[in-house]
Every structure is written in C-alpha cells, then in structure tokens.
Amino acid sequence: MSSEHVPAVTPPVPPTKQRIIGAVLRVIGQDGIAGVTNRRIAKEAGVSLGSVTYHFTSQHEMLRESMLHFVHEETRRLTTLADEGEAAGLGIDAAAALAGQVADGTVFDSEHIAPFELYIQAGRDERLREAAAECFTAYDRLATQILTALGVPDAERLAATTVALIAGLQLRRLATGSPAEDLADALLLLVAGRV
C-alpha cells in the first residue's frame, strides 16, 4: 500500500472517555437512541455523571463521537485485513470469500448493532449527518483500496455500491438472523463484470 492509503493517526482516546463511548454503543444497541441519558451512560460506564458531562457537552456530541469512534476502529481492523490480503496476493474469489468470512465472523453484539441505529438517527437529526457522511467516506475509501488491489477497473465508482451491498446484507443478517454465506456470492456478482 502506498502511504496515501494509510488511515490518519488519531490521538489515543482517554480511558474514561473510551469507557463512556463503549457504554453509549452498548446502550444504543440494547435500547436505541432513546436509552441514552447521561445518568444511564455514567452507570453503564462505571464513571461519575460529572465525567460524562466533562467529556461530552451534549448528547449530540456523545452520539457523533461514538459513531466516529466505531467507524475508526472498524476501518482500522478492515484496513489491516485489506493490507494482509494485498500482501498475500488474493484474487477476486479469495477476496470475496474473505469478505464473507469477515461478515460471518462479525458478532452482532450491542456495540455492532449501534451503528445501524446511529445511521437511522442521522436521517432524523441533521446534526449527525456529517458524522454519518464521514463514516461512509471511510468505508468507501477502504472499499476503493480493496477493489483497486484486486485490479477492479473503476474501483472508486464501484466502492459506494460495494459498501451499500455489504451494509444491506449485514442489515438483513441482523434482522433475520441468517448467515452471511450469500455475501461472497453477491460480491463476486458485483465485481465479475468489472475485471
């Protein structure tokens, strides 16, 4: 990978703030956005109410930071996988199978359900839309990186469609409890005509 594809280094999150963000994601995953109150988050995180208000001046800021933190961590994890795949010289079939394994290995605990809630909330609260756009930009950039490494022409144009396909299949899997086995086939169908 060239240095232009390496995600920006972000400063470490203070431990207390990290606990609060984890609590926000768990609460959203369990009870939705409506469950997020400063008192509930403080209790869930095991911190004082003052710590919550010190680190986050508003609920909007807490939701935005939690959304961005989740995506940063997911992007870092998936970028590592993409780099490993590129180093191993994966072909399209192997890359699609790897994507299926990653999706199948994603446990939908409350922290992984939370982003879906946050994206829906961004549709209702325009203050979260910028954070949602940043999230999808990060996913699109990663998809472009992977598709380019696979030699897919027009990788940048295909990236958003790839991200939408994966997100839709993940949402379907979450809603129905079905396995992710169709993801690899869907990705192969998507890129088959582009190589």
Side-chain angles (χ1 to χ4, degrees), residues 18 29 40-41 44-45 52 74 82 97 102 107 116 145 154 159 162 171-172 191-192:
Q18 178 63 48
R40 171 101 184 261
I41 297 305
E44 180 77 23
V52 173
E74 277 295 282
V102 168
V107 177
F116 290 101
Q145 178 182 353
D154 296 326
T162 303
L171 184 58
R172 180 178 182 158
V191 300

Side-chain angles (χ1 to χ4, degrees), residues 46-63:
V47 301
S48 70
L49 183 59
S51 291
V52 173
T53 57
Y54 171 78
H55 287 288
F56 301 100
T57 58
S58 68
Q59 187 181 56
H60 163 72
E61 182 186 353
M62 196 171 6
L63 294 174

Side-chain angles (χ1 to χ4, degrees), residues 16-46:
T16 300
K17 189 172 185 177
Q18 178 63 48
R19 287 171 53 194
I20 294 168
I21 288 171
V24 169
L25 293 171
R26 285 190 302 278
V27 168
I28 291 171
Q30 293 164 1
D31 297 324
I33 301 292
V36 177
T37 66
N38 285 358
R39 289 189 191 286
R40 171 101 184 261
I41 297 305
K43 182 177 179 182
E44 180 77 23

Side-chain angles (χ1 to χ4, degrees), residues 54 71 75 78 88 120 123:
Y54 171 78
V71 170
T75 301
L78 295 173
I120 291 168

